[in-house]
Each structure stands twice: as C-alpha cells, then as structure tokens.
Amino acid sequence: MQFRCSRCHTSIAGKDGEHPERCPNCGAEAGLEPVKSIPLAMKLFGLVVGGALVATVVSVVIAAGG
C-alpha cells in the first residue's frame, strides 16, 4: 500500500497491512495518509468535460470552415 506524507508530500511504500511509523524524508510521525485511487464519479465527470471540450472544438472548426 502506498502512503503520502502530508508535510513533504513524499511517497512511501508501506508493507501490506502495516502503517509506516515515520516519513523517511522529513521524519514526520503524523500525517502519513494512504493514497487512494480517483473515484469513479470523478473519472466519469472528467470524461464528460473532455467530451464537451472535443465537441466544442470540432463544432468551431466546422463552423469556421464552412
């Protein structure tokens, strides 16, 4: 499992089921947070926004050319 130090933002590889005791970079003992993947809702929202951007660019190119 991956952890990230909230003080210096260093990525820390922890063993499965174990929480690291301190950051190897800055020595902080608190604020070591597990890294989570991007939620599905945020991925889908990004897909919708990206699709809208592509549709807008295509429509502007078509309108300018015709």
Side-chain angles (χ1 to χ4, degrees):
M1 181 175 222
Q2 289 280 51
F3 291 89
R4 186 168 305 263
C5 178
S6 61
R7 184 175 177 189
C8 68
H9 307 290
T10 301
S11 285
I12 304 163
K15 296 177 184 173
D16 289 336
E18 291 186 16
H19 191 281
E21 294 184 19
R22 61 182 26 213
C23 174
N25 189 34
C26 68
E29 294 179 1
L32 301 177
E33 303 167 347
V35 175
K36 299 176 185 172
S37 66
I38 300 171
L40 179 62
M42 290 179 73
K43 289 179 183 178
L44 292 175
F45 180 72
L47 183 65
V48 168
V49 170
L53 179 65
V54 169
T56 302
V57 169
V58 168
S59 65
V60 167
V61 168
I62 291 172

